[in-house]
Amino acid sequence: MKLTPHEIYDLLVKEDKILELQGQIKFFLGDIEIIVKQKDVVGNIMQEWMQGWLEHKNIAYALSDNSQMPPDFYLDPDDKTSGLLEVKAFNRNASPGFDIADFRMYADEIINKPYMLDVDYLIFGYVMSDGGVVTIQDVWIKKVWEITRRMKEWPVNLQIKDKVVHKIRPAVWYSTSRVDYSVFSSLEDFISAIDHTVYQNPDTRDRSGTWMVKFLDAYEQHYGVRLNIPRWHDVADSYVFSKSPDYKRGQR
């Protein structure tokens, strides 16, 4: 059977009651079996568990052949432009530590495949006891702009190493305490931030002059709608909390 990402979420939470379940990760080699107590392995395991769950429920899916980009699953194998599901998991006792996507690849991807913006992110917040017992504390189903934010020097929260932009990183979307920047409130503002980052990033600046036009054309061709994207400088301050040290600096 075919289900949408939101129907998957409802089945997991309401029918299978995943928030009430417990699990463990076990490994054996020869005669030795252990219970894995390393928290950082749970994220990858959850994606594999999700595949097993889909098969157990006889839910249609196809796997992506590009592990570097979302989605993980096509829930409509006959139409790989809809029913796109990406699975993420993180230790609920810490901030989300997963990657959204490589920035340069993502900027190219949404021009060629604007429907990738419609990926649903199924996110598990887990905890692991000292004995290795794993429980799921929270489950969310979100769009990309609902789990991303700006940062101080960049319109999008990024992983930057040696002054080189790498991955798009998530926000703490489930809390407003001890954070300075809110998540994006719309697809349009998220695209504005991506566009300005394309310009600001030295590795992608050469394409910034045409990036937005190419994106708008591709989006309109696929969806039949011409988006109205604001300039980043017109919306940037709305994503800085008043308590942030950047608030006064950003006021005009």
Side-chain angles (χ1 to χ4, degrees), residues 11-30:
L11 187 56
L12 278 167
V13 175
K14 297 177 181 179
E15 184 171 320
D16 281 12
K17 300 187 184 302
I18 193 173
L19 299 178
E20 299 176 13
L21 303 180
Q22 292 186 338
Q24 286 182 323
I25 302 170
K26 296 182 178 181
F27 175 78
F28 74 90
L29 183 61

Side-chain angles (χ1 to χ4, degrees), residues 234-247:
D234 291 337
V235 298
D237 284 353
S238 64
Y239 293 105
V240 183
F241 286 129
S242 59
K243 64 184 179 181
S244 168
D246 291 334
Y247 180 72

